Amino acid sequence: MSEATLGGRFTFPGTSLTVQRIGYGAMQLAGPGVWGPPKDPDGAVAVLREAVAAGVNHIDTADFYGPHVTNGIIKEALHPYPTELVIVTKLGARRPTAESWQPANSPQDLIAGVHDNLRTLGLDALDIVNYRAMGGGAGHGPAEGSIAEQVTALADLRRQGLIRHIGLSNVTAAQVAEARAITDIVCVQNQYNLAQRHDDALIDDLARQGIAYVPFFPLGGFSPLQSSTLSDVAGRLEATPMQVALAWLLHRSPNILLIPGTSSVAHLRENLAAGQVTLSPQTMAELDGIAAAAVAVTH
Ligand SMILES: NC(=O)c1ccc[n+]([C@@H]2O[C@H](COP(=O)([O-])OP(=O)(O)OC[C@H]3O[C@@H](n4cnc5c(N)ncnc54)[C@H](OP(=O)(O)O)[C@@H]3O)[C@@H](O)[C@H]2O)c1
């Protein structure tokens, strides 16, 4: 597969890590509710192997998916890892029960989390670790507040050689600025898609700094995006709505990297082919109307 079909390449700033812009998010490989083993363990391994065979070299994970489940599947499917594969993991949460996602953000929690990820992935050092702030309430939105203690702890782990590079997840622009004053930040992973565009200004600012923006829930998450505009555009372009949603992100800004999640080889192939969908400025403007309509409905 040519590199253009996976959206082209992106190098994380100040690093030697270059990835295809279309990667893969492993969260959907755990069991229902991101808890326990998958219903189809062989199918989960097959999805990962198919992704890498197709040229994907950026996989997003967390040891709290399962917990320990997705990292174990990644290790089973892909270890020893291809040299060009960049595995990005995240710290900051724990899963005491199937229903709960709790903060695990003391320096001791973060140190333990790094060692858990090293063990479950079978690595000596982690390429990129995102500090995932738990934000406010039950949703996926960020909440203001200092993250200096956590970023300082990750910077210490980086100096020890256990982490190569540091990113952030579920953070505000102020938290990004605070973290960047402490250490180099190579990526930010927040919720963003055609209908959820709170981070428009942050994306543009990060693009000016060459920092990757990696939207989570690029397809809408557990309830994939539904929109008549999206379906109309997809029909005209002979693409699927999910391909158009991903192509819109690729066109939105050159620092956006995709990590769509799926437990299905068929959906994986469909998502990887989104790099072949070209959107004109007029179509981009039409798709921009989806978020405007969503805002109008909720106000
Ligand atoms: N930092 C954070 O806080 C955070 C939070 C959430 C997720 N993440 C990361 O972001 C990644 C992406 O998020 P996500 O997986 O939750 O959501 P997503 O990529 O927006 O969507 C995944 C959902 O879409 C379905 N899907 C995927 N491809 C499809 C297709 N071509 N056609 C129809 N349905 C399709 C999947 O079901 P099937 O399995 O049936 O395909 C799944 O239900 C995760 O894997 C994880 O690595 C990070």
Side-chain angles (χ1 to χ4, degrees), residues 14-272:
T15 80
S16 58
L17 303 179
T18 297
V19 294
Q20 302 289 349
R21 290 183 66 208
I22 304 184
Y24 173 73
M27 189 176 84
Q28 303 294 338
L29 296 183
V34 200
W35 184 261
K39 285 190 209 144
D40 177 6
D42 292 342
V45 167
V47 167
L48 285 163
R49 290 187 177 157
E50 173 85 13
V52 169
V56 166
N57 58 2
H58 172 203
I59 293 178
D60 184 79
T61 187
D63 202 38
F64 48 78
Y65 294 160
H68 314 303
V69 170
T70 53
N71 279 4
I73 299 169
I74 290 170
K75 185 178 170 194
E76 179 189 344
L78 303 176
H79 195 279
Y81 301 112
T83 48
E84 65 279 10
L85 180 64
V86 176
I87 299 177
V88 180
T89 190
K90 58 187 85 69
L91 302 176
R94 69 163 64 87
R95 304 286 306 282
T97 66
E99 290 75 31
S100 64
W101 299 73
Q102 291 181 0
N105 56 10
S106 70
Q108 293 74 18
D109 288 330
L110 300 178
I111 293 166
V114 163
H115 287 284
D116 285 346
N117 275 277
L118 291 171
R119 187 185 67 254
T120 52
L121 289 169
L123 290 167
D124 297 326
L126 302 169
D127 288 328
I128 301 177
V129 174
N130 287 329
Y131 170 60
R132 202 289 186 186
M134 288 304 280
H140 296 283
E144 295 294 358
S146 176
I147 58 170
E149 183 183 32
Q150 290 79 13
V151 174
T152 301
L154 290 191
D156 285 344
L157 288 157
R158 186 175 175 215
R159 275 189 285 277
Q160 293 168 33
L162 299 178
I163 293 176
R164 295 202 176 95
H165 303 288
I166 298 171
L168 302 171
S169 178
N170 205 40
V171 287
T172 65
Q175 288 166 333
V176 174
E178 182 188 38
R180 292 188 68 208
I182 296 169
T183 190
D184 292 334
I185 298 297
V186 301
C187 55
V188 173
Q189 183 177 124
N190 279 1
Q191 183 177 7
Y192 184 81
N193 56 44
L194 261 174
Q196 294 278 341
R197 298 189 52 179
H198 302 290
D199 271 352
D200 273 327
L202 177 62
I203 290 169
D204 295 338
D205 185 47
L206 294 174
R208 285 188 285 272
Q209 320 292 333
I211 297 173
Y213 183 88
V214 188
F216 74 76
F217 293 166
L219 298 174
F222 295 99
S223 309
L225 293 162
Q226 289 190 324
S227 144
S228 54
T229 304
L230 185 58
S231 299
D232 290 349
V233 169
R236 283 205 312 269
L237 296 177
E238 298 184 349
T240 68
M242 295 301 108
Q243 287 174 327
V244 174
L246 294 175
W248 176 83
L249 287 166
L250 289 174
H251 286 67
R252 166 66 184 79
S253 186
N255 64 328
I256 289 187
L257 306 181
L258 304 185
I259 50 163
T262 182
S263 53
S264 142
V265 168
H267 284 169
L268 172 77
R269 289 181 181 144
E270 182 182 324
N271 297 343
L272 298 185

